[in-house]
Amino acid sequence: MTQIRHDIRNVAIIAHVDHGKTTLVDALLKQSHTFRDNQEVGTLIMDSNDLEREKGITILAKNTSVRHGDVTINIIDTPGHADFGGEVERVLNMADGCLLLVDAAEGPMAQTRFVLRKAFEVGLRTIIVINKVDRANADPAQTLARVHDLFLELAEDADQLVAPVIYSIAKQGRAGTQPDQLGDDLEPLFQSIIEHVPAPVVEEGGFQMLVANRAYDDYTGTMAIGRISRGAIAAGDTVAVLASKGDPQRLKVVQVLVYRGLDRVAVPKATAGDIVLLTGLEGVAIGDTLADPEAPDALPRIEIEEPTVRMTFGVNTSPFAGREGKFSTTRQIRARLYRELDTNLGLHVADTDQAERYLVSGRGELHLAVLIETMRREGYEFEVSRPEAIIKVISGQRMEPVEHLTVDVREDYVGAVTEALGKRRGEMIEINYDRKGGVRLEYLIPTRGLIGFRNTFLTLTAGTGLMGSIGIGYRPWVGEFREQRNGALTASSAGKSLAFGLAAAQERGTTFIEPGEEVYEGMVVGIQKRPGDIRVNVCREKKQSNIRSSTSDISVRLTPASKLSLEQSLDFLADDELLEVTPKHLRLRKRHLTEVDQSRARRLAEAARG
């Protein structure tokens, strides 16, 4: 016999990046009186991670809850970027319904398709929320028509096509059932959640829960997070941990916590339908089932799509190794990478035939870049190679990952963008013009073609273009292609860079460093105007004489250095280059630093090919 819990709704918020998920959660929290009236909480409340606030995107899936009347609404905030799709896949099983947020101006983008497909696969009931209806170029009617087209394409049964529509301006905390008749608050959205998101069904039987996430607290230790699918759990109960391998392990639950706003509150007991945090379960992994020891029934493990991009992480081998990082040994880097696998399900780590190098695979460049940035902020020092697409041989045929790319540009830039994508083997499948001079291009393109394209795209569109992509599987290899990058300016000697030496280097191209920075032989200090690497002496100074003095360097006029971000540095890398990552610096360098080592490596490569 089953029962229905009418006092709970479990809802996930899903959308493409920057369509307003986190802003909407802010408004829901504030309007449910989660905070004191005089409490200063700011914005992006759920994006507590420094990196999330800096980049303006959600990276980790998070939970919160609000009260509306007698109903507790558990909210799961998910990332909107395709590279963090693993976060979406592992938490959707905790929800019964979802809010599909779509920007009224941009309409459905690549990640909208991905998250909606995943929501349909787990059987979630959907509420369409068309956000930002106050934007100057908003077209709610056209956006809704495109969302309905997406529903017809992706829905797995007729019931999923029935979805109420709410219009909103999340930043102002307003919503309504008509785009031109918004209320003063989000009450229409609250009502829609309570009416249309199914209440949890309580099945009779012993306790059962799938671990969808983990958290750590200095006082309570590891916490297993998930939704109870059957039975009940109380502090002091013993549960069986059903891992992917080995016999069930018995552990005692120390505390049962639930979300109340942004806080975790201890409760004596929780039952089916509740999203809980259980403490005392050291060693429990995401995907494990927690069950009644007398009826240890395992739930299906969380399925995560395979990585498509990989790169090597290794011990820093530059002349400056060990100067700036707290953790720089092989053992420390290896332990940190394998520890990341506990929570980052979309990541794969493998040892290589070189003891100090590890092959790390992820869902995209940004997925790996966030890991690199997180590690350097924790004090790690290491070096990484250029990202590359993962190529497979399936049934004797060479296959490569392919992505569905959506690009929004102004009409003036269409020619330049289509030319650039054509060179990268992009295949245009659709083009749509709107009445306001905007164009949407849709492409099928190999993942290889997108590596390093984002910065090129921003340059081509003067920073006004929007792009998003989602992996659609493996297709036959389309042949060799490679964007020809101009040659690098590499330092010919070690020392401190001087204005006189940099001025000479700037006659050859663009420099990446300022005067006074320490360099070593083989370090990349700039990019020249044509193909082929050039060695330059940036430490060169003017010779002193009766006429010239060392202070004459001051009169040298330099163009400001072009400082590359982490993502730009990864895009810049060639196959024979590495990126040295430390808590203080990002340094581009040649894999082989001296001319002798470089020529020896070239000869060995030619001999291997011949």
Side-chain angles (χ1 to χ4, degrees):
M1 182 178 171
T2 58
Q3 295 178 320
I4 295 176
R5 288 192 63 180
H6 294 288
D7 62 329
I8 285 184
R9 299 293 186 275
N10 294 319
V11 62
I13 299 187
I14 60 176
H16 184 80
V17 65
D18 204 29
H19 279 199
K21 292 182 309 303
T22 307
T23 307
L24 183 64
V25 175
D26 286 356
L28 290 169
L29 285 166
K30 289 172 181 175
Q31 291 191 21
S32 59
H33 306 292
T34 301
F35 310 107
R36 298 189 313 273
D37 291 339
N38 64 344
Q39 188 173 347
E40 285 289 329
V41 291
T43 59
L44 305 179
I45 300 165
M46 294 290 283
D47 285 349
S48 52
N49 183 316
D50 288 343
L51 206 49
E52 291 179 316
R53 285 182 169 272
E54 285 173 27
K55 291 185 175 292
I57 59 173
T58 301
I59 294 171
L60 303 171
K62 303 176 196 69
N63 297 69
T64 186
S65 79
V66 299
R67 290 283 295 177
H68 188 78
D70 298 329
V71 179
T72 297
I73 302 173
N74 288 315
I75 299 171
I76 304 156
D77 186 19
T78 64
H81 199 287
D83 287 19
F84 309 110
E87 292 285 314
V88 179
E89 290 168 278
R90 67 178 171 78
V91 296
L92 286 185
N93 61 64
M94 291 195 286
D96 296 299
C98 64
L99 304 182
L100 177 69
L101 222 66
V102 185
D103 189 303
E106 295 176 15
M109 295 288 282
Q111 182 70 355
T112 313
R113 176 187 301 271
F114 170 77
V115 293
L116 183 59
R117 189 178 80 234
K118 292 297 174 186
F120 282 161
E121 284 175 5
V122 296
L124 300 189
R125 294 296 297 273
T126 309
I127 297 171
I128 300 168
V129 182
I130 296 181
N131 192 29
K132 304 187 184 181
V133 294
D134 59 331
R135 283 185 63 172
N137 55 345
D139 190 343
Q142 173 69 14
T143 298
L144 182 58
R146 284 161 62 181
V147 172
H148 282 155
D149 290 343
L150 200 58
F151 270 61
L152 287 168
E153 181 185 337
L154 300 177
E156 298 188 347
D157 62 59
D159 289 346
Q160 292 175 333
L161 295 174
V162 180
V165 182
I166 297 291
Y167 300 89
S168 70
I169 306 173
K171 209 164 189 177
Q172 297 176 12
R174 299 171 60 207
T177 54
Q178 298 296 326
D180 54 352
Q181 297 175 19
L182 300 189
D184 296 329
D185 54 25
L186 294 174
E187 185 61 27
L189 181 57
F190 278 116
Q191 289 299 329
S192 190
I193 291 171
I194 292 167
E195 290 172 18
H196 296 284
V197 173
V201 176
V202 178
E203 292 183 29
E204 287 193 346
F207 172 72
Q208 190 183 45
M209 181 184 110
L210 186 70
V211 180
N213 203 352
R214 293 196 340 163
Y216 184 82
D217 184 270
D218 290 337
Y219 298 101
T220 58
T222 302
M223 292 179 277
I225 304 172
R227 172 184 164 171
I228 302 173
S229 55
R230 193 177 72 193
I233 190 73
D237 286 355
T238 299
V239 296
V241 180
L242 309 174
S244 56
K245 297 175 184 174
D247 296 328
Q249 180 186 6
R250 290 192 173 210
L251 294 174
K252 186 177 179 181
V253 175
V254 175
Q255 269 186 315
V256 179
L257 306 169
V258 296
Y259 290 98
R260 292 286 181 265
L262 300 182
D263 298 325
R264 300 161 179 165
V265 178
V267 294
K269 184 180 179 181
T271 56
D274 285 323
I275 293 176
V276 296
L277 306 93
L278 305 180
T279 69
L281 307 178
E282 294 296 327
V284 170
I286 294 173
D288 289 353
T289 299
L290 306 180
D292 184 340
E294 303 306 316
D297 303 324
L299 290 163
R301 291 189 75 81
I302 298 169
E303 301 244 338
I304 301 290
E305 289 186 6
E306 290 292 305
T308 55
V309 175
R310 67 186 179 193
M311 65 199 307
T312 61
F313 281 55
V315 172
N316 187 9
T317 56
S318 89
F320 294 168
R323 288 190 184 186
E324 298 170 356
K326 287 191 291 184
F327 312 109
S328 56
T329 66
T330 306
R331 180 181 57 79
Q332 289 167 333
I333 294 169
R334 185 181 192 279
R336 176 63 182 83
L337 288 172
Y338 277 94
R339 191 166 71 245
E340 184 70 17
L341 299 180
D342 290 345
T343 53
N344 197 337
L345 295 195
L347 199 74
H348 287 191
V349 178
D351 295 340
T352 66
D353 52 6
Q354 295 175 280
E356 70 282 358
R357 294 199 180 280
Y358 307 98
L359 192 63
V360 181
S361 308
R363 296 282 282 269
E365 279 181 281
L366 186 60
H367 188 197
L368 296 172
V370 165
L371 173 62
I372 293 168
E373 183 64 31
T374 303
M375 287 178 62
R376 76 182 283 233
R377 291 183 183 207
E378 292 172 0
Y380 285 84
E381 179 180 315
F382 51 98
E383 62 189 25
V384 298
S385 68
R386 172 185 168 84
E388 61 177 16
I390 298 173
I391 310 301
K392 293 182 179 179
V393 176
I394 302 172
S395 302
Q397 188 174 13
R398 199 177 187 195
M399 308 284 274
E400 65 177 331
V402 174
E403 304 197 24
H404 183 279
L405 172 70
T406 304
V407 171
D408 285 336
V409 295
R410 294 213 298 262
E411 205 167 332
D412 309 352
Y413 304 124
V414 170
V417 171
T418 52
E419 182 183 358
L421 288 169
K423 288 179 181 175
R424 292 165 176 263
R425 299 296 177 103
E427 176 190 337
M428 187 188 292
I429 54 176
E430 195 170 339
I431 180 168
N432 289 304
Y433 292 81
D434 65 28
R435 295 186 296 273
K436 297 168 185 172
V439 183
R440 170 163 292 188
L441 306 167
E442 296 196 26
Y443 277 83
L444 291 182
I445 184 168
T447 297
R448 293 181 288 147
L450 286 179
I451 292 175
F453 177 66
R454 189 169 297 276
N455 290 314
T456 303
F457 175 72
L458 290 174
T459 303
L460 291 175
T461 62
T464 61
L466 291 169
M467 63 176 278
S469 65
I470 190 69
I472 57 170
Y474 276 75
R475 301 279 175 89
W477 172 265
V478 295
E480 289 291 348
F481 69 86
R482 183 67 188 273
E483 279 281 297
Q484 184 64 46
R485 192 200 78 188
N486 288 348
L489 299 174
T490 61
S492 60
S493 60
K496 273 196 176 180
S497 60
L498 297 170
F500 185 70
L502 283 171
Q506 287 187 351
E507 292 175 9
R508 302 292 190 96
T510 303
T511 54
F512 298 156
I513 61 171
E514 300 282 4
E517 289 190 37
E518 283 197 90
V519 300
Y520 51 81
E521 184 181 0
M523 180 173 151
V524 176
V525 295
I527 183 168
Q528 75 137 330
K529 297 171 183 175
R530 51 183 64 87
D533 297 340
I534 298 178
R535 294 167 68 81
V536 291
N537 184 3
V538 292
C539 304
R540 185 175 162 210
E541 61 180 334
K542 271 189 176 179
K543 296 292 181 218
Q544 297 180 36
S545 68
N546 290 335
I547 301 167
R548 296 193 181 102
S549 70
S550 59
T551 56
S552 62
D553 254 9
I554 297 168
S555 64
V556 175
R557 289 188 174 273
L558 290 176
T559 305
S562 177
K563 292 289 186 181
L564 301 185
S565 66
L566 173 58
E567 286 88 349
Q568 288 171 328
S569 299
L570 292 174
D571 290 348
F572 179 87
L573 285 175
D575 291 333
D576 66 338
E577 293 167 355
L578 297 169
L579 176 64
E580 177 187 352
V581 180
T582 76
K584 295 181 181 176
H585 291 98
L586 297 170
R587 299 186 184 96
L588 294 157
R589 51 160 288 191
K590 288 294 177 182
R591 197 179 288 267
H592 303 283
L593 297 178
T594 66
E595 275 190 293
V596 174
D597 288 343
Q598 288 169 14
S599 58
R600 184 183 296 127
R602 277 195 297 272
R603 286 198 302 272
L604 289 172
E606 287 166 6
R609 284 198 298 269

